[in-house]
């Protein structure tokens, strides 16, 4: 199957290939009456946009989004919102060499095995270019939950972690890595430069935090908030691991260490810790929701790798196109978008059942 | 919302509370003609069944499953299969003390915040008892994909990992921990005994491997095989992290290290490594699928923890019921079941679209 | 595929065969806090229950429903509600003769063609017995929309229509036909007696009206309220036609005749007519919703009909079991239930998106 | 809610307003490898296209469809197919007068009640213009089921039925009414001319027949083939009634008259009649599938009708835009498209579960 719709009440359907005429999304189920124009979306696309520093791909896509439906006189009407971004700077000839050769780490072989054919230009449908539409849709989702604040930042790049004590929220927008630690950001410049120059690539770990969520969002047992977030994040290109709250580290704590004790607070129970990452039993607790994702190093590298061709011959492949030396960096705005989409959907679902 | 159905073509709907009359599941969309009786299901339930050693909860549930529909003369008819397990050994009075008090780490507070009321007996709907139905449904899913072999085992308990070099598949069934390393299993006896006696609890990391899957299963982009697995595993009680293949470790590799090179093989491309964990672009590659999940330590502990009551008073809570000192152990058969359900669903989905 | 779940936010999954151990349903997504016990459901089942007069099947099923989950201390908890009715008076031996022979008008041949096998006892899954669970679930749906009143009644039986001028709502419960016209009910006694005695059967047309619905429920464009009602009604056993408002008669009116003119009213616009049947553009207008369904004559008749056996031999079949001479009669409470399910689901969906 | 996706495995999501920049659809789940270009779609759009005779609206839309994704080198890739049609001849000023006034029979009031605002230009999202995208998507669905033939034709217009004895399949394409009876087509010219000139409108009944369907498609119990068709047809603008096979007339037959007797045939059972319209128990029987829909007269008429304004004042409205005097005529290609979409979806669903 192909299944390109995300969400239950707030549903996003995306379409488009990396080197096709355009990419797009249809956002359905958005509440009516929200003030919406391209201006609400463009800043988030600009954060994710390629070609803004030497640390991301040099493909120059202006990524100008157009709204083709669902808005009348500046407000959402409750009907589907069609979003389109034209592809401008596609260089498909870069891909002639790899059209017949499977790039290890890419979806080339798997798509061929599934569908019997594939669009090889820029990775076609499996390209991370599609995530631009998630970011666009996520910008609309944010309008659905205006009291929620969402921030994603890179906490480790190429195995080099930030110093938690140096966390500075204002720093995130100041460097090209969405890095909350100025010293780490400086170190990462060298790391990424080296990787790019040597034709290699690096992985990263990105954390995304959402605040302002009331207790009670979530849909047990098979649309749990954490399960939905796990699917949302694992579905981002290059993500190989997801954790909530303490995540894997929780497996090394004892029960009394991991418990988030509570005390009476001015507005209801106040938690003394947030090992749970803001979710218990699949439902939000009112604490910040904390999710981390591990991005593997970009699979497109200039270093030759052994592989086979579509016809089964041995070959080596080195990817010539323009690529991110570390896809995890631009993964940060995508994680924010997925967080927004999951939370907005659950806000509506909760209101639907529980009023 | 409450949403208790899992899957797309092969759909499982579960119901029931820990201390209600029974728990059950409806398995819909199962292919017709499969040989099925309670005998196909019971062995998997027996693996998960509580009360089998001193290392799991002492609640004595025979967990005898009955099939009430969907089977005629020993074969599935293609119509919904209703499964029921009676609750036998519920001691609801154990919960009188906590009915008005939120147990930290549990869903008590979140359920109350969402629904305004909850069934406190044994955790009600949020109890891990529900996972018995996942195991039962998973046993049916296995029949849908008879060429697939699925095995889950604990690779770390209380921070103590197994030795990969000592991995012995036959050992898994020989100890009460689903541990593939005999020496580790012996160490864990001491760890778990200590935790149980001190009223504490431990976490664990469980790995689940599936083999025999052809390349091509998966549904990009929003029902990717890895995203579906992430949701399936994160939705298991106490799981706080999920990773596929190299997972978080992949974020520390360079592109050329992480690449799964290919060479021509006798039956198509042969991979030289499996960092991807058998999935690329959301689609199976034909390699083994490898998933790990981190289980937090059981939240039910006898060590007192600060909390608040339903009416907002400060309190301390110590959980008196019978509990697993390490829920991760019994998580292994549940992970196998979820793996089976996801794979069987995708097998049908793939056949639906791609023939 | 087999697909046994109805609804989007309020979801009902039914299971069970006519002559299996039991039939059941899981109602998921029900709002929490509703007062619910078997007493809320049983009266609706009793209306549909067989064996209450000589005009329906003589199968004697007490149809006592049990609630197995989702209710705590008399209130819904927001978690799935499991409903079960044991099958008591199944006489499967009646079906030995037809197990190998396709009964014309029944699903026997189609099920065999689809699944390669079927449960022949009492029609198995395709039996109208399943509609008992719709009625049970519908009783819960009514609690979700307490301001809505739903009433279904037979307006034509065996080609003999009621006199609209003689419509008497109180009469509906006084005769065994759910007939709102006392004179017609008397005539129908003769019609049904004759059909039953001659081994034949009759069709019927049933109208279902719901009042108390605010303007604004519905989900354009592919979950329109009228489209959902059409699916709900067409999915009832033996229904072959559905119409809303003026229905087929509207095709014979001119635009100015069919227009539902409006005038200012005390509580907003007041309609001067209701040709639309309370739905425009897939959304409720606030007027009564009016749906009619055509039930074919019962396919189980004692008059021999030409057919073939499973192995392709010519045969004749006469159905010996106990059957309704007119299934349309007991279709009335089923239509009410489906109306309640559709409306309750849309009430929640509307609240979800539009607040 | 707004819900603009149709189908389960083959899913169509449409977007766009009558007078927006464009309308579009995303077709997801299409099998890979089908030969597809705009040339496969355009002929069906041309059949539905307005402005081709004096009997339909005079809006001149070329309705040129573009495929923006999902096709590579002339074949479907299994990924979402994005279809767009630009709106060219929108005259929104025609609607200034009605922007504040509810047009009886239209969705104006219901949309306002639901969403609190609406796009009044040409009916916005509720316009029948959206059906162009159903026709485009339906053209793709036909490619999924190449052995199935689908034909819809008008059998009654303005209360004047065709003569079944005069049925001539070749005649359907020869007149502007999709009428299979040449004599009726001539009579209808006068009927429609009169209605148009007097500012009135007419209803119609359209029949749609599909042949070449194997026995076994359908998804009992809540995605029955007939229930899905009923929803599909009732969801077409202006449809108020749907029937399958004998439909409402079956309610007036006796059981032995309505039974579709069978005899052994060369390729399995041969039916002696088709009262069922090709569906039993929600599953195809292998006979032709026959569906009829009743279209109300166009609500947009020049004859003044009493109504109210958005602010609740009494008013009269006469619709000045360019409209079809009988929307049922152009409903024929839309019914064909919906039939194709339902059947293609069920073909894939059946293959998914039953292989």
């Amino acid at each position: 199957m192909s299944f390109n719709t995300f969400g239950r009440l707030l549903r996003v359907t995306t379409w488009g290939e990396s080197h096709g005429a355009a990419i797009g999304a249809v956002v359905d189920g958005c509440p009516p009456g929200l003030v919406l124009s391209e201006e609400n979306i463009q800043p988030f696309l600009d954060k994710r946009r390629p070609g803004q520093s030497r640390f991301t791909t040099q493909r120059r896509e202006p990524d100008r989004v157009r709204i083709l439906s669902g808005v009348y006189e500046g407000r959402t009407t409750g009907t589907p919102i069609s979003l389109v971004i034209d592809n401008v700077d596609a260089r498909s000839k870069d891909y002639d060499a790899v059209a017949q050769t499977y790039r290890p780490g890419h979806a080339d072989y798997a798509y061929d095995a599934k569908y019997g054919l594939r669009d090889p230009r820029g990775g076609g449908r499996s390209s991370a270019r599609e995530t631009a539409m998630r970011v666009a849709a996520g910008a609309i989702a944010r309008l659905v939950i205006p009291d929620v604040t969402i921030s994603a930042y890179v906490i480790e790049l190429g195995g080099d972690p930030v110093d938690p004590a140096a966390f500075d929220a204002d720093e995130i927008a100041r460097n090209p890595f969405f890095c909350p630690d100025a010293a780490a950001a400086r170190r990462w410049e060298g790391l990424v430069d080296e990787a790019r120059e040597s034709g290699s690539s690096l992985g990263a770990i990105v954390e995304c935090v959402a605040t302002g969520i009331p207790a009670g969002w979530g849909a047990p047992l098979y649309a749990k908030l954490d399960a939905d977030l796990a699917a949302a994040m694992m579905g981002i290109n290059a993500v190989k691991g997801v954790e909530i709250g303490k995540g894997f580290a929780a497996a090394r704590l004892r029960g009394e260490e991991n418990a988030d004790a509570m005390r009476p607070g001015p507005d209801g129970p106040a938690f003394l810790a947030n090992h749970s990452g803001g979710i218990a039993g699949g439902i939000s607790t009112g604490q910040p929701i904390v999710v981390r994702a591990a991005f593997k190093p970009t699979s497109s590298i200039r270093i030759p790798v052994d592989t086979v061709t579509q016809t089964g011959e041995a070959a080596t492949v080195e990817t010539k196109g323009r690529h991110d030396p570390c896809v995890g960096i631009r993964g940060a705005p995508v994680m924010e978008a997925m967080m927004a989409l999951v939370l907005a959907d659950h806000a509506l679902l909760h209101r639907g059942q529980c009023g």
Side-chain angles (χ1 to χ4, degrees), chain A:
Chain A
M1 192 174 58
S2 166
F3 191 89
N4 292 275
T5 298
F6 186 83
R8 291 175 172 83
L9 277 189
L10 184 69
R11 285 174 307 284
V12 179
T13 301
T14 72
W15 55 267
E17 277 81 36
S18 183
H19 290 207
I23 56 176
V26 184
V27 180
D28 197 8
C30 183
L34 304 178
V35 173
L36 176 66
S37 73
E38 282 87 350
E39 301 311 300
N40 298 98
I41 302 173
Q42 198 62 49
F44 296 98
L45 285 170
D46 291 345
K47 270 180 75 173
R48 181 206 159 277
R49 190 152 52 88
Q52 302 190 95
S53 80
R54 70 178 188 273
F55 305 109
T56 60
T57 171
Q58 296 306 297
R59 180 169 171 178
R60 303 274 170 178
E61 287 289 350
D63 278 358
R64 301 301 305 181
V65 68
R66 284 177 294 142
I67 299 175
L68 296 185
S69 68
V71 175
Y72 179 66
E73 295 186 343
R75 289 186 181 272
T76 59
T77 58
T79 59
I81 302 166
S82 176
L83 305 172
V84 177
I85 294 175
D86 291 324
N87 286 329
V88 170
D89 187 28
R91 293 192 199 160
S92 296
K93 67 180 155 39
D94 285 351
Y95 293 88
D96 286 354
V98 298
Q100 316 299 328
T101 307
Y102 297 129
R103 296 168 301 162
H106 277 284
D108 301 349
Y109 171 65
Y111 266 67
D112 252 17
K114 180 171 193 68
Y115 296 118
L117 79 171
R118 72 194 148 96
D119 179 347
R121 301 166 302 158
R125 181 68 184 151
S126 70
S127 166
R129 177 141 186 75
E130 185 267 352
T131 61
M133 298 320 306
R134 307 190 194 195
V135 170
I140 296 175
R142 286 173 192 255
L143 302 176
V144 176
I145 45 172
D147 296 336
V148 174
T149 302
I150 300 170
S151 174
Y153 39 85
V154 180
I155 59 170
E156 183 178 310
L157 190 152
D160 180 16
V162 299
D163 174 4
F167 185 94
D168 175 1
D170 293 336
E171 177 61 26
I172 297 168
R174 283 195 210 115
N175 62 67
F177 304 109
F178 303 111
C179 175
D181 168 352
R186 279 190 298 274
R187 296 195 306 272
W188 295 355
E189 291 195 10
L191 283 176
V192 176
D193 276 339
E194 184 279 327
R196 197 187 63 241
E197 284 158 20
S198 63
S200 181
S201 63
L202 300 172
I205 299 176
V206 186
E207 183 168 273
C208 184
V209 176
T211 58
I213 300 141
W217 291 1
L221 289 177
Y222 294 116
K224 283 180 172 176
L225 195 49
D226 38 1
D228 275 10
L229 285 169
M233 301 308 173
M234 193 66 92
I236 298 173
N237 307 50
V239 170
K240 299 304 286 185
V242 179
E243 53 183 15
I244 311 272
K246 290 303 275 185
F248 277 84
R252 284 139 200 165
L253 298 178
R254 293 173 70 89
E256 64 276 20
E257 295 168 320
N258 192 57
D260 294 334
M262 286 186 270
R263 290 284 83 185
D267 312 310
F271 289 90
L272 305 183
N274 188 17
H275 294 84
S276 76
I279 302 173
I283 302 174
S284 63
T285 63
Q287 291 196 285
I289 291 180
V290 182
V291 181
R292 274 178 304 284
F295 288 77
K296 68 176 182 182
T298 316
S299 296
S300 301
I301 51 175
R302 293 203 321 278
I303 296 171
V305 185
D306 282 350
T307 189
V308 297
T309 65
Q310 256 176 266
T311 51
E313 309 293 309
T316 60
V317 67
E318 45 190 289
T319 313
K320 292 278 176 42
R322 299 155 297 173
H323 299 288
D324 288 278
C326 174
V327 286
I329 300 169
R330 293 205 290 141
V334 181
M335 282 184 71
E336 290 185 355
M338 297 313 292
M339 176 74 88
L341 286 167
V342 170
L343 292 176
D345 192 30
H346 275 281
L348 301 184
L349 288 168
H350 178 65
R351 187 167 65 183
Q353 188 187 9
C354 298

